[in-house]
Amino acid sequence: MGHIGIKGFMGSVAFAAAAFAGQAGFADTNMPFALDWKLEGPAAPYFLAIENGHFADEGLTVEISEGAGSLDAIPKVATGAFPVGFADMASLMKFIDQNPGAPVTAVMMVYDKPSFSIVGRKSLGIETPADLEGKILGAPPPDGAWAQFPIFAAANDIDMDKVTVEPVGFPTREPMLAEGKVAAVTGFSFTSALNTMRLGVPEEDITVMLMANHGLALYGNAVIANTDFAKENPEAITGFVRAVAAGWKDAIADPDAAVDVLAAHNPAMDKDLETRRLKMSIDDNVLTDYVKENGMGGIDAERMDKSIEQMQMVYKFTNAPDPSLYFDDSFLPEDPLRID
């Protein structure tokens, strides 16, 4: 993705931030929220937070817009078009490095474990990381999971020269796996696994290797905020975070009800499939051991440092990495956000 020059968007940032700040004086603060992807199962908790009145309880009016990938929400928030969004941390770190001073940072970790995965088929010889050697791996060039594959390979002693990488498009990724043209693909666990099953591959034939369970220290998707808006409206950001956690708590308690709410906004969805997708995101990405112990939203400083070290294996920072630029925990509520 080409980055946006900082001079090119600072003017619009100032205008949009002022507009949002002006709204804060009314009874409700308008906080449109930019998602990273389409209206699939993992988006349900945000709609549930609207339906169950959690945003309204915080004095917030929230409208949710779908996105087009891990990078999509970052420039929307950095330019001030949206005060808050949902984005991948690794992509955010790169954007801030390429746009020094960009008014955007993460304020709440949601995917404590990222969804980056290798999804393969047992019948094609894929059960462990080492099995990728000598096989064909399908990988969309812009895919977030593919971007982290060298870290995964290094952590698991995989010789990348022995892996045949086939560039594929997002629409053809799972069909090629289902047809056996590739033995495995890179992708989000809850996307590639379920899409492959939907194409007729038996669940027992599918191997899902979550990179976070195989040496990857990187964090996943987080709520990001425009820092100019956040400075003017700190209580609104904290309220937004609290409401998001409440939405996830409700979704964990009743995933079926959460997807029913989502279906009102995407009537063509397969509700059973999206309920499974939501449950996968809860089990694999959100409700981790760390979150059960510490609550939702925060990060571990030592792990963040390790994730930056791993990032430098696949990305050369122009500026010295600074964790304080990527995550600001000052907007988290004082009491832990318990969701289990």
Side-chain angles (χ1 to χ4, degrees):
M1 169 186 160
H3 63 273
I4 298 175
I6 191 70
K7 292 181 180 177
F9 66 59
M10 284 305 291
S12 60
V13 166
F15 174 80
F20 284 129
Q23 292 167 347
F26 294 97
D28 283 351
T29 301
N30 186 29
M31 290 185 69
F33 181 47
L35 287 177
D36 63 327
W37 192 236
K38 304 181 187 304
L39 303 188
E40 295 182 341
Y46 310 109
F47 288 92
L48 197 58
I50 295 175
E51 180 76 12
N52 290 350
H54 299 311
F55 287 122
D57 288 345
E58 300 290 347
L60 307 175
T61 299
V62 176
E63 182 176 345
I64 300 170
S65 298
E66 67 178 21
S70 299
L71 307 175
D72 191 59
I74 301 171
K76 290 178 180 177
V77 174
T79 57
F82 287 78
V84 282
F86 192 55
D88 164 49
M89 278 295 294
S91 301
L92 177 67
M93 290 160 67
K94 292 178 185 178
F95 183 90
I96 291 172
D97 181 59
Q98 294 164 3
N99 297 278
V104 59
T105 192
V107 294
M108 177 193 194
M109 186 54 58
V110 177
Y111 292 168
D112 183 58
K113 284 186 178 181
S115 300
F116 305 139
S117 297
I118 304 297
V119 177
R121 293 179 58 184
K122 294 182 176 70
S123 60
L124 299 177
I126 304 297
E127 295 193 48
T128 70
D131 294 334
L132 292 169
E133 293 186 358
K135 304 295 195 308
I136 300 176
L137 175 69
D143 179 43
W146 166 243
Q148 316 314 327
F149 184 75
I151 302 173
F152 173 80
N156 293 279
D157 297 320
I158 297 170
D159 185 345
M160 289 188 63
D161 291 336
K162 295 182 179 178
V163 181
T164 301
V165 179
E166 179 75 23
V168 299
F170 287 116
T172 60
R173 174 175 54 190
E174 289 84 19
M176 290 185 71
L177 181 60
E179 293 165 12
K181 294 180 179 178
V182 297
V185 297
T186 63
F188 274 25
S189 55
F190 51 70
T191 297
S192 291
L194 291 178
N195 288 355
T196 303
M197 291 178 205
R198 193 176 190 180
L199 292 170
V201 177
E203 183 173 359
E204 58 270 19
D205 188 32
I206 294 177
T207 297
V208 178
M209 290 179 271
L210 200 66
M211 292 185 183
N213 292 339
H214 293 275
L216 196 77
L218 299 186
Y219 281 99
N221 283 39
V223 172
I224 62 174
N226 180 284
T227 55
D228 291 333
F229 175 87
K231 288 173 185 174
E232 293 291 331
N233 303 275
E235 293 180 1
I237 296 294
T238 298
F240 186 89
V241 165
R242 240 189 327 256
V244 165
W248 274 100
K249 185 172 184 176
D250 291 349
I252 290 167
D254 193 344
D256 293 300
V259 172
D260 283 342
V261 170
L262 181 64
H265 301 271
N266 184 8
M269 73 164 52
D270 180 332
K271 286 170 56 173
D272 289 340
L273 182 74
E274 296 312 326
T275 301
R276 290 198 65 183
R277 205 187 304 274
L278 172 59
K279 289 178 178 177
M280 280 187 73
S281 70
I282 291 168
D283 294 340
D284 292 346
N285 313 120
V286 177
L287 197 55
T288 63
D289 290 341
Y290 179 87
V291 170
K292 289 176 183 177
E293 182 177 347
N294 299 283
M296 186 183 193
I299 62 171
D300 177 76
E302 186 175 335
R303 177 181 163 190
M304 186 63 173
D305 288 341
K306 185 177 181 182
S307 74
I308 291 173
E309 288 179 14
Q310 289 189 342
M311 273 282 293
Q312 292 181 94
M313 295 172 59
V314 295
Y315 176 76
K316 185 177 181 179
F317 284 87
T318 302
N319 305 285
D322 181 354
S324 68
L325 295 177
Y326 315 136
F327 192 90
D328 184 351
D329 65 2
S330 68
F331 299 100
L332 293 174
E334 292 183 9
D335 296 330
L337 296 167
R338 299 292 179 190
I339 61 170
D340 52 330

